[in-house]
Amino acid sequence: MPPDVDLSDWEKEQSWLREKAREAGSLSAEDNAFLDKGIAQRIREKLERRAASQWWALFGLQGHKLDSLKDEAQFICGLDKVFIHPKPSNLLSPATGARRSYSVQYLTKQGEPATAEFIAPPPSRLLELMLCGFFRYGEHWIYLGRSTNNTHYQPEQWIVLPDTDEPNERLGLKVEVSGLQTHIAPGAVFSSLTNKGKMRLAEDFGSQGTHAEWLQSIVDNLTTSRPWDAPLSVRLAGEYATGGFPLAELIANGTHIKGQKVEVISGNPFDLRPENLRTKSSRGRKMTCSTCKKPATAKDSEKVRDSTGSTLRVCRTCLDWAAREIAYQKTPQKN
């Protein structure tokens, strides 16, 4: 940079970071390992906090305990009453006696901040007890497909993982770096990026200092929690697009059959007993109202002709609305 240019301290720092970031694409194996190890450790800490806060929000406030193996067994029995088939007790790995203490921050019903401390299994087991991750069902791996509800992932139905996919990690951990790359292995977040991605990450999250301080700043800034703009996120199996087909289809038909769908008779997506399933054809065009576009059936709709002579299907709600509009228009209006 020309020596006669007078830059502010901020401009000088940005210039230094851009220049230093060019080294990110050609770091030594030791530096790459340092970054991967540091980020992986922060991910483990992030999962620990998540497991603790999620458990407390779902079950701790209800009085459930996991202090001992007996408490854990009782909790699993409770899961079996909700998840009828397959039963969690047949999916979960054997319990161990390992326990540790947790401390979480939460809001009381009155909206006051409070701290809770409790004893429970290690984070990975705690997440497993909340049915996060992959589970073995016969010769297949299954997982709970989940939909996002605000910041929580609500379980929807059991999904069979494609046979071509073999999970190398029970929780199905995938890391996403905002704007760079998705579904990265948690143990190789930095080294798995392209050289261009590494340089961009270094420029966005590095800080000025010695080479060692610069490396540490990348780890610190990347993993710092920023609710409004989280640069790094961690998801578990079922919280991202994994593929597969509903477990109901496997139980009812032995596999996924194109043109057929399986319905749960009771309406409970977690009661997949064979006698509670029925297979129906999914072929053909689904009926919809031509006006409101909502699903319709022959019973709650009628075929009508428009001014061009075309036949349209209109639901009774829209027909009633149209009838009221016509009646209103024919009614003499007072001046």
Side-chain angles (χ1 to χ4, degrees):
M1 188 164 293
D4 57 334
V5 177
D6 185 19
L7 299 176
S8 67
D9 291 342
W10 182 85
E11 290 174 327
K12 289 179 180 178
E13 181 179 2
Q14 294 306 304
S15 177
W16 185 92
L17 288 174
R18 285 193 295 270
E19 188 68 25
K20 186 66 174 177
R22 295 179 182 178
E23 301 178 15
S26 57
L27 291 173
S28 66
E30 291 77 12
D31 285 345
N32 276 280
F34 174 86
L35 291 169
D36 282 342
K37 183 178 179 181
I39 296 171
Q41 176 60 33
R42 297 299 177 85
I43 290 174
R44 284 192 291 270
E45 295 169 358
K46 187 182 185 74
L47 279 175
E48 288 182 10
R49 292 192 296 271
R50 171 180 171 173
S53 60
Q54 186 170 312
W55 162 263
W56 187 256
L58 290 174
F59 304 107
L61 290 171
Q62 300 178 24
H64 294 292
K65 298 192 305 178
L66 292 176
D67 294 34
S68 65
L69 287 175
K70 182 180 179 181
D71 294 325
E72 187 173 333
Q74 290 178 343
F75 174 75
I76 294 174
C77 287
L79 288 179
D80 284 349
K81 295 178 182 178
V82 178
F83 296 85
I84 309 300
H85 184 83
K87 293 184 178 296
S89 58
N90 295 328
L91 301 176
L92 296 168
S93 58
T96 67
R99 291 291 185 274
R100 55 159 289 178
S101 61
Y102 293 89
S103 178
V104 297
Q105 306 291 323
Y106 72 100
L107 294 177
T108 64
K109 292 182 179 180
Q110 293 73 32
E112 297 293 332
T115 301
E117 295 184 357
F118 61 95
I119 302 296
S124 59
R125 176 63 174 181
L126 197 54
L127 289 167
E128 184 183 4
L129 289 173
M130 290 185 281
L131 301 181
C132 297
F134 295 111
F135 300 90
R136 196 69 178 171
Y137 180 82
E139 298 180 355
H140 301 270
W141 288 99
I142 64 173
Y143 64 93
L144 268 180
R146 301 171 188 258
S147 62
T148 305
N149 180 10
N150 295 326
T151 57
H152 301 288
Y153 291 91
Q154 301 295 331
E156 287 189 325
Q157 65 174 330
W158 287 107
I159 302 293
V160 181
L161 192 69
D163 291 335
T164 53
D165 296 341
E166 184 72 17
N168 54 18
E169 202 275 328
R170 281 296 299 272
L171 291 177
L173 288 173
K174 294 293 183 181
V175 180
E176 297 184 1
V177 178
S178 178
L180 291 177
Q181 192 169 330
T182 62
H183 295 183
I184 309 170
V189 172
F190 187 83
S191 60
S192 62
L193 295 174
T194 63
N195 287 343
K196 185 177 180 180
K198 292 177 180 179
M199 289 187 285
R200 179 178 167 185
L201 185 146
E203 183 175 344
D204 289 346
F205 301 104
S207 296
Q208 194 172 12
T210 65
H211 184 73
E213 291 171 341
W214 174 69
L215 292 175
Q216 186 62 51
S217 70
I218 294 174
V219 174
D220 294 340
N221 295 331
L222 177 64
T223 55
T224 298
S225 177
R226 296 186 298 182
W228 62 90
D229 182 26
L232 182 146
S233 61
V234 182
R235 296 187 179 185
L236 309 179
E239 298 174 353
Y240 54 89
T242 307
F245 60 92
L247 176 60
E249 296 184 10
L250 177 70
I251 295 175
N253 303 321
T255 186
H256 168 70
I257 301 176
K258 189 175 181 180
Q260 294 188 352
K261 65 178 181 179
V262 176
E263 292 184 345
V264 182
I265 297 173
S266 68
N268 180 2
F270 306 120
D271 182 2
L272 302 183
R273 293 172 296 170
E275 63 269 24
N276 194 35
L277 304 174
R278 62 184 172 199
T279 302
K280 298 177 63 177
S281 173
S282 62
R283 297 185 183 278
R285 187 173 61 184
K286 295 182 180 179
M287 284 187 184
T288 57
C289 173
S290 298
T291 302
C292 65
K293 307 303 180 183
K294 292 181 179 180
T297 64
K299 184 180 294 187
D300 63 11
S301 64
E302 291 183 12
K303 290 182 178 180
V304 298
R305 290 186 181 277
D306 62 11
S307 59
T308 65
S310 300
T311 301
L312 305 174
R313 181 169 293 279
V314 182
C315 69
R316 297 195 185 280
T317 301
C318 289
L319 286 172
D320 292 343
W321 177 84
R324 289 194 298 270
E325 284 293 306
I326 293 173
Y328 176 79
Q329 292 174 8
K330 289 183 178 180
T331 302
Q333 303 296 315
K334 294 181 180 181
N335 294 329

